[in-house]
Amino acid sequence: QQQVKQSPQSLIVQKGGISIINCAYENTAFDYFPWYQQFPGKGPALLIAIRPDVSEKKEGRFTISFNKSAKQFSLHIMDSQPGDSATYFCAASMQGAQKLVFGQGTRLTINP
Amino acid sequence: GAVVSQHPSRVICKSGTSVKIECRSLDFQATTMFWYRQFPKQSLMLMATSNEGSKATYEQGVEKDKFLINHASLTLSTLTVTSAHPEDSSFYICSAPRLAGTYNEQFFGPGTRLTVL
């Protein structure tokens, strides 16, 4: 019940296309859903996060869509660029909690 | 965003030696920090929760005598890999949460690549 399932494991998108990564969770107590971007040999960096009181959050080319009833959330990268090539992790936690539960990660490659 | 540093960024050591990794929150205080281990092409595996002023909490299967954690101050946590062996070679990452309203945003260090020969 503590798991966050992420898909796909790897994704190849052409430059300018839309990259979509999906995550699903079971624990309905989760109410904070961040996405992290990690480049090889670096630590993860917080990209964007959403709370379940909204169904969508957009920051630049990055959008999180959240479906509370389905217990799913997804990251959309619009106009994908080669510099977006990285591993992306979704995560979940609860209000007041400090621990994060991570998804398995998606390795995104943007072809020029 | 907040800044978390780690030192060293990479270390190579001989089998049987101990290695200390430092994690610092540079612009905020953190009573709790987390230590992760990451194998190539895999997700982050939480090893332990470092608590300032008290003992660390280890995840199931993590040897506390092998991975010593000390949270010396509100901005510094250290992970010591004792008597390191080649199977301890990995990418170690720390993180520190910072409260944003009623939620904690987690900020990660740049990681430490440990290679045990």
Side-chain angles (χ1 to χ4, degrees), chain A residues 67-78:
Chain A
N67 186 331
K68 189 173 183 178
S69 61
K71 292 184 284 186
Q72 295 175 346
F73 57 109
S74 59
L75 176 69
H76 296 234
I77 306 175
M78 311 300 287

Side-chain angles (χ1 to χ4, degrees), chain A residues 74-90:
Chain A
S74 59
L75 176 69
H76 296 234
I77 306 175
M78 311 300 287
D79 187 25
S80 300
Q81 299 297 312
D84 297 329
S85 297
T87 300
Y88 292 81
F89 293 96
C90 62

Side-chain angles (χ1 to χ4, degrees), chain A residues 36 38 97-99 103 107, chain B residues 32 38 41 43 59 104 106:
Chain A
Y36 286 85
Q38 185 180 29
Q98 295 179 319
K99 270 190 196 181
R107 197 169 186 181
Chain B
T32 299
Q38 187 177 35
K41 298 182 182 181
S43 188
E59 296 299 304
N104 282 286
Q106 199 81 233

Side-chain angles (χ1 to χ4, degrees), chain A residues 30-51:
Chain A
F30 286 147
D31 59 1
Y32 174 65
F33 304 92
W35 284 88
Y36 286 85
Q37 179 188 56
Q38 185 180 29
F39 292 105
K42 306 293 183 184
L46 179 62
L47 192 61
I48 186 173
I50 197 169
R51 294 161 195 171

Side-chain angles (χ1 to χ4, degrees), chain A residues 9 31-32 36 38 41-46 51-52 89 93-100 102-105 107, chain B residues 31-32 34 36 38 41-44 46 49 59 91 93 97 100 102-111 113:
Chain A
Q9 191 172 359
D31 59 1
Y32 174 65
Y36 286 85
Q38 185 180 29
K42 306 293 183 184
L46 179 62
R51 294 161 195 171
F89 293 96
S93 73
M94 293 172 271
Q95 184 176 357
Q98 295 179 319
K99 270 190 196 181
L100 285 171
F102 281 93
Q104 295 80 4
R107 197 169 186 181
Chain B
T31 57
T32 299
F34 297 97
Y36 295 84
Q38 187 177 35
K41 298 182 182 181
Q42 292 191 21
S43 188
L44 297 95
L46 180 64
T49 303
E59 296 299 304
F91 193 52
I93 312 172
T102 55
Y103 295 86
N104 282 286
E105 292 182 327
Q106 199 81 233
F107 294 94
F108 287 83
R113 173 76 58 193

